Amino acid sequence: MSHPSPAARPAAPPPAPALVRLHAALASAYAGQLWHWAPGVARGPMEIIAGAVLVQHTTWTNAERALDALRTAGALDASALAALPEREIAALVRVSGTPTVKARRLRAVARTIEAAGGLDALLALPHHALRAALIETHGIGPETADAVALYAAGHPAFVIDAYTRRLFGRLALGPGARASYAAWQRWFEDRLPPDVTLYRNLHAYIVLHGKTLCRAVPRCDACPLRPQCPEGCGR
């Protein structure tokens, strides 16, 4: 009698029907729009990592301006960031808001990269080790760690953000408004195959939808998900 290899993994689950319908509707609406971490848009993993820090509590437009300032100063590099005084980094990223906080976080990330043996070595770590190293870094929480893992390292880690919670709460999907980050992530990963491209695209569509239509005050009339949404305006 043959036995499965110890390394064998159970087959990935097929996507849940509700998520299949949602993904198709969002893809139809947003597939042609640019996403700042899409292939060919982002300039490389260090930009993704720095951007994930800089975009905290601000818009991507401001984060991108801060990235441009770091790049122009030759500081969009772990070694350069680790060597610069925090006050100089803060001056460069001031446009992204809370510059002192973000300068400290950027230097902490730079030290994590250097401690791992460089950016390539950090991103080559197994998923659990990469995520642990990032979360142990000052100012890096689960959302930022998973964004780095998904977009920079290519690990199938579904990113949970405020847009995701708001949209899926309105759709009456997900583990509930008060559920933890881990519970929300598990809800998605239990219902989707561990596909990096799928995770990247679906997360991008959710963010684009959250910025465009599913805002704090939603614009339901133009929403491609209105047929699926029990909270759709006028219901």
Side-chain angles (χ1 to χ4, degrees):
M1 179 184 296
S2 62
H3 296 277
S5 163
R9 299 179 61 182
L19 291 179
V20 171
R21 293 193 299 272
L22 180 141
H23 182 270
L26 292 179
S28 178
Y30 300 107
Q33 296 192 25
L34 288 177
W35 167 245
H36 52 258
W37 287 333
V41 177
R43 294 177 173 84
M46 190 63 207
E47 176 167 314
I48 291 170
I49 293 170
V53 172
L54 293 168
V55 79
Q56 295 171 6
H57 309 297
T58 191
T59 65
W60 180 253
T61 299
N62 289 337
E64 192 167 36
R65 290 169 65 190
L67 285 171
D68 287 341
L70 289 171
R71 190 182 302 107
T72 299
L76 195 53
D77 171 84
S79 298
L81 284 172
L84 276 178
E86 284 184 11
R87 65 180 182 278
E88 293 186 25
I89 300 172
L92 291 169
V93 304
R94 185 169 303 280
V95 69
S96 68
T98 59
T100 301
V101 171
K102 290 181 179 177
R104 187 175 303 120
R105 291 176 180 178
L106 287 170
R107 285 199 71 200
V109 170
R111 289 194 294 268
T112 294
I113 292 170
E114 292 198 321
L119 184 56
D120 290 344
L122 176 70
L123 298 180
L125 291 173
H127 177 65
H128 70 279
L130 171 63
R131 196 173 192 270
L134 291 169
I135 289 178
E136 288 170 3
T137 302
H138 171 74
I140 302 298
E143 180 184 334
T144 302
D146 288 330
V148 171
L150 177 62
Y151 289 101
H155 294 175
F158 199 87
V159 180
I160 305 299
D161 55 22
Y163 296 113
T164 304
R165 289 175 179 266
R166 184 167 67 201
L167 172 60
F168 280 78
R170 286 172 172 167
L171 293 170
L173 295 171
R178 297 188 178 184
S180 67
Y181 183 98
W184 272 94
Q185 186 178 62
R186 187 164 56 251
W187 188 88
F188 279 93
E189 293 184 356
D190 283 349
R191 288 162 177 78
L192 294 170
D195 183 292
V196 171
T197 300
L198 172 63
Y199 284 15
R200 286 174 173 172
N201 287 343
L202 182 54
H203 175 244
Y205 298 152
I206 290 169
V207 174
L208 290 168
H209 186 62
K211 290 181 175 182
T212 305
L213 297 175
C214 198
R215 301 174 178 178
V217 178
R219 297 170 56 194
C220 298
D221 288 347
C223 180
L225 302 179
R226 191 174 182 186
Q228 299 172 238
C229 184
E231 290 193 18
C233 299
R235 291 186 181 276

